[in-house]
């Protein structure tokens, strides 16, 4: 059973605005950046087991990439998966739905910042 969740979203906003909103969403969810490439508009981030006071039970890592297929439009690709304490991707033993929950929170925070 794969624990990886993927989300692809399109927005009628410039890529830079969407990228900045995504960075803000990470801060809003208390995430820690692992890698950040501002020129390529992509980053990796890790979220702790507890986010905003809610204990989820697993750490989650996201890889986010923002692209601009056309002027004034953006695509956001997000891959999320649970990781262990050392940062290795969990292939078994993870709690079901944690990565999906964090994904929905991340997208909600991103979209809130785009309004």
């Amino acid at each position: 059973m794969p624990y990886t969740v993927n989300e692809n979203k399109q927005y009628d906003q410039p890529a830079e605005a969407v990228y900045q909103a995504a960075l803000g969403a990470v801060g809003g969810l208390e995430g820690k950046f692992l890698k950040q490439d501002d020129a390529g508009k992509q980053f990796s981030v890790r979220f702790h087991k507890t986010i905003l006071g809610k204990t989820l039970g697993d750490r989650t890592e996201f890889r986010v990439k923002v692209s601009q297929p056309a002027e004034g439009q953006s695509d956001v690709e997000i891959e999320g998966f649970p990781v262990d304490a050392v940062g290795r991707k969990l292939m078994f033993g993870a709690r079901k739905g944690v990565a999906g929950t964090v994904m929905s929170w991340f997208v909600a925070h991103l979209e809130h910042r785009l309004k």
Side-chain angles (χ1 to χ4, degrees):
M1 171 182 187
Y3 294 110
T4 301
V5 292
N6 292 292
E7 184 83 36
N8 293 309
K9 302 287 275 182
Q10 290 78 38
Y11 298 101
D12 291 328
Q13 302 248 359
E16 184 60 33
V18 174
Y19 181 68
Q20 292 302 320
L23 295 176
V26 170
L29 293 173
E30 305 165 351
K32 178 183 173 190
F33 289 99
L34 303 173
K35 295 179 190 172
Q36 187 172 349
D37 176 12
D38 292 333
K41 293 183 179 43
Q42 54 190 346
F43 59 85
S44 295
V45 63
R46 184 169 301 142
F47 298 100
H48 194 64
K49 291 180 180 183
T50 304
I51 300 175
L52 302 174
K54 292 197 75 151
T55 302
L56 300 172
D58 283 322
R59 294 163 187 84
T60 307
E61 189 171 314
F62 279 7
R63 295 181 183 145
V64 180
K65 182 176 182 182
V66 178
S67 59
Q68 185 165 321
E71 190 66 35
Q73 294 183 334
S74 301
D75 287 342
V76 180
E77 298 174 32
I78 311 165
E79 177 187 32
F81 49 88
V83 294
D84 64 11
V86 188
R88 295 176 297 206
K89 186 175 183 177
L90 289 176
M91 303 307 278
F92 60 91
R95 287 158 184 83
K96 186 175 180 181
V98 172
T101 299
V102 178
M103 179 76 72
S104 66
W105 291 353
F106 180 80
V107 170
H109 275 252
L110 182 138
E111 291 177 349
H112 174 76
R113 283 170 168 71
L114 288 175
K115 291 183 181 176

